[in-house]
Amino acid sequence: FDECHEMEDVLQNTLGYYITHSQECSIVTASAKLARSQRKNASDIKQMLNSLFDVLKAHYNSANYKSRLKTTAIPRMVNLAYDIQERLTPLRSAMSNIVTDEHVAPKKRGAAGISLTKLRELGFILEILTTLPQEMVVTLEDSSYSQRVSIKIYKLDVSHEIQAVSDVISSIFVSATATVGGMFAHLEKTLGLEKPVRVVEASPFDFDLNSVMVLPEIKNKNPNTDEWRQEMADLAIETI
């Protein structure tokens, strides 16, 4: 396993669950277009989703840092998740009726099928949010670049999952940043390793001769723009 110091983050993301504000609202809107009788219900669901994210944002703003939390600390968030679950039931039923109605055009039935699957996924994640297992936590991910705000639910300790693999097969965990102060203690705890064989090899790379640190003043702050990429390319050429 190369870059093994990233395994914890990779597993937390892989085994975690996300509720993305823009995505969930789009799913609800698309469902309401297919079943017009659900437009009022869909509007209420979107308002509740807005409130759900606002409650969590308010928590982070008041704490003034990105903390992990248990949902028990925010009863209002749990109540909203319950309410959204209840509202999703008739919306899912409407999608299911369209899917099974042979008189409906195939294209519309297909779209309803996609919406139904996504609404079921949302309901499943909301259920996890309201009955959060002891080993899981909730956090808020806000990307100013992609304009996406997500609620992330994930296991804080994934060492048991990694240990389950290393117990079955011989495993080698490799990283250029595996130690802290020359010790493997943090990595061993994170990966759940018991009495591993530890090896540290000096790098043959001559950092003094072959590396340089550059601290440029960047005009364009958004890396998702052509202007930023062009500025980085020009700086790289100039530095080289």
Side-chain angles (χ1 to χ4, degrees):
F1 297 94
D2 195 12
E3 304 292 352
C4 64
H5 61 281
E6 295 184 351
M7 287 186 69
E8 182 180 34
D9 287 341
V10 170
L11 275 173
Q12 286 176 344
N13 290 332
T14 303
L15 301 175
Y17 304 94
Y18 292 86
I19 300 176
T20 303
H21 183 265
S22 57
Q23 180 176 306
E24 310 308 340
C25 287
S26 295
I27 292 168
V28 172
T29 299
S31 300
K33 288 181 179 179
L34 294 169
R36 299 200 173 187
S37 62
Q38 288 294 311
R39 283 187 294 181
K40 176 62 171 64
N41 185 35
S43 178
D44 292 341
I45 292 173
K46 287 193 288 184
Q47 287 182 7
M48 290 177 183
L49 283 169
N50 291 340
S51 298
L52 183 67
F53 279 84
D54 287 343
V55 167
L56 191 52
K57 285 180 184 178
H59 167 82
Y60 281 110
N61 290 337
S62 63
N64 200 29
Y65 65 96
K66 295 291 184 183
S67 63
R68 303 182 181 100
L69 64 140
K70 307 295 286 188
T71 50
T72 51
I74 310 181
R76 175 61 177 154
M77 193 166 89
V78 177
N79 293 336
L80 281 165
Y82 273 122
D83 292 341
I84 295 171
Q85 277 184 291
E86 291 184 0
R87 293 280 187 169
L88 285 175
T89 300
L91 190 58
R92 286 198 299 263
S93 295
M95 294 301 101
S96 181
N97 290 337
I98 294 174
V99 171
T100 57
D101 189 345
E102 296 182 356
H103 297 93
V104 175
K107 185 176 181 180
K108 184 175 181 179
R109 291 171 63 188
I114 294 172
S115 291
L116 180 59
T117 299
K118 292 180 178 179
L119 290 172
R120 284 172 175 168
E121 290 174 358
L122 175 57
F124 173 73
I125 297 172
L126 287 169
E127 184 176 352
I128 295 175
L129 186 61
T130 56
T131 59
L132 196 69
Q134 185 64 32
E135 70 273 10
M136 301 191 82
V137 294
V138 180
T139 190
L140 185 72
E141 294 192 346
D142 188 352
S143 173
S144 58
Y145 297 130
S146 62
Q147 302 298 316
R148 293 181 62 180
V149 182
S150 301
I151 295 173
K152 179 181 177 182
I153 310 167
Y154 65 101
K155 289 186 69 173
L156 190 59
D157 182 4
V158 292
S159 60
H160 297 294
E161 281 73 14
I162 300 172
Q163 192 175 24
V165 175
S166 58
D167 284 347
V168 176
I169 59 174
S170 298
S171 304
I172 301 174
F173 299 91
V174 184
S175 174
T177 55
T179 62
V180 178
M183 305 293 290
F184 287 92
H186 176 73
L187 188 67
E188 290 175 17
K189 181 180 179 181
T190 299
L191 303 184
L193 305 179
E194 297 181 1
K195 299 180 180 179
V197 176
R198 307 172 185 87
V199 179
V200 178
E201 293 289 346
S203 172
F205 189 81
D206 190 334
F207 287 94
D208 292 336
L209 183 63
N210 296 299
S211 63
V212 60
M213 179 179 288
V214 181
L215 299 175
E217 292 186 6
I218 304 172
K219 297 178 182 177
N220 299 288
K221 304 300 182 182
N222 188 344
N224 293 324
T225 62
D226 291 336
E227 291 77 12
W228 184 89
R229 285 186 281 270
Q230 185 60 53
E231 188 174 356
M232 288 298 101
D234 293 341
L235 283 168
I237 293 172
E238 182 182 346
T239 301
I240 295 170

